[in-house]
Amino acid sequence: MLSPTVPSRRFSPMYALATSGAVAAWMPLVSAFSFNINSPPQQCSNLSISITGSGGTPPYRALILPSGNSPLPNEIEARTIVDQPFDGDSTSVSFKLKYPALSQFIIVVSDSKTFGSGGTSGAAIVTNSSDATCFDPKTNVQPNFFYNLEPANQIVQCTSTRIWWDPSLVKGNPTIYGVIPGGESFNIPYSSTTTVANQGVGFNWTPKLRTGTTVFLGAGDDRGLGSGGSVSYIVSAGTNPSTGCLDNSSPSSTAGSPAGGSYPTSTEEAESSKNGGGSNSNAGPIAGGVVAGVAVICAFILVLIFFRRRKRFHNQHSKERTDLFTDNEWPDSAREGEIAHLAAPEPYIVPTEPAHSEVGSTVPGSHYGYGVGNGAGGLRPSTERRMSTVSASTDGDLLRPNTPGTSTSGAGTSAWGGMSNASRKTPQGPTLRPVNIIQHEDAGAPDEPEGEETVELPPAYTNLRREER
């Protein structure tokens, strides 16, 4: 709503037809007929109203008052009061509702005799539409004249209030009326007016309204009931509350059954009522929920299949192990601890010593090659491993390079544990040295001799020469 200039209050502008100038004394009204809003109100669409019941005297009229703040940006007020007459004796009327979506309004239906005799609706809300050409969202509308209250901008229970206006802006005798949403609507009568300096022409009115009542005060003249605008107030008790004017017929905002039938009164209801009802608008969400549910179930099944296949794959491979035996070599009764005994390692054996070698084997069953025994190092011979001998020449060319205890190693001693060169021609027993065989764990854990150092050297086959027989 628009604000009045100080000290008056400006109201939202409205245009309508002229009403009867004669005003009867105010009294509570009981509706003998009512009305229905035939379809949900929609932005820039036709609003249809029909009379129900009997007892009214045509022609009828429908008054539409904007309610609440404007939903437009910056609260631009583009709504006007609509005073819509019915044609002749017709009991229905249809007209374009030039209100933006999500705005609210109140309908008051009257017959030819009494204002508000057909009842007053609650605050209905406008639903959205694709048409927004029926109003200007950037321009505030204004009434033809303004009315003012003294004390300014308040209504106090059972306390005299002056209502006044500028007579130069009014055509004919102004009409002042009250509208209680969902309750009663009434004319505010006056028999005479007075002129007050710096105010204008007006009259005094004692509101017979209970504290807390929400009421719209509207004004009109010969141009219609909406030509002076309307403003909503909440009746207050005042500093010295008085109840002397109240009786059982005093109107209030008590809960009841508003006129107008069924219509949206909240944003949620307006959205569900869009396009003719909520049942159609729910089809999309329901279908979407069903599709989403099926997709989730399918995804769950695929994930379950994936993990089951993965588990089966890992179970199969976890049972496999390196097996050095073929199927016919592996005894059924063998245990993992018996592998080392079933697959005992043997060192590589080179051919036997040539016949004309200066040094021959003195160990029965020994062969030409690396061996284990009481060699240059004087180590304890091993009786648990096969023995082999190594033949040496004067030049030591049959020994591996850098062999400890040989002349080629630079140690200054011979290959035979410190024997002189003079005695080297005398046949001597073979020089033996301890050698440990490295057995890898894929054939079982090896038995490591205690107190011995294990050195693993690759064979140098290029330094082994066999003399021709």
Side-chain angles (χ1 to χ4, degrees), residues 190-194 202-204:
Y190 65 93
S191 58
S192 62
T193 61
T194 59
F203 64 93
N204 291 331

Side-chain angles (χ1 to χ4, degrees), residues 99-112:
Y99 288 180
L102 302 181
S103 61
Q104 294 178 305
F105 63 91
I106 299 168
I107 298 179
V108 180
V109 174
S110 308
D111 64 2
S112 60

Side-chain angles (χ1 to χ4, degrees), residues 301-318:
I301 293 176
L302 292 177
V303 171
L304 182 62
I305 292 175
F306 170 77
F307 280 106
R308 288 180 64 88
R309 291 174 61 89
R310 183 179 181 184
K311 182 178 180 181
R312 187 182 302 113
F313 174 81
H314 284 293
N315 289 341
Q316 291 176 352
H317 284 267
S318 63

Side-chain angles (χ1 to χ4, degrees), residues 241-260:
S242 174
T243 60
C245 68
L246 301 179
D247 54 30
N248 293 334
S249 62
S250 298
S252 64
S253 298
T254 55
S257 298

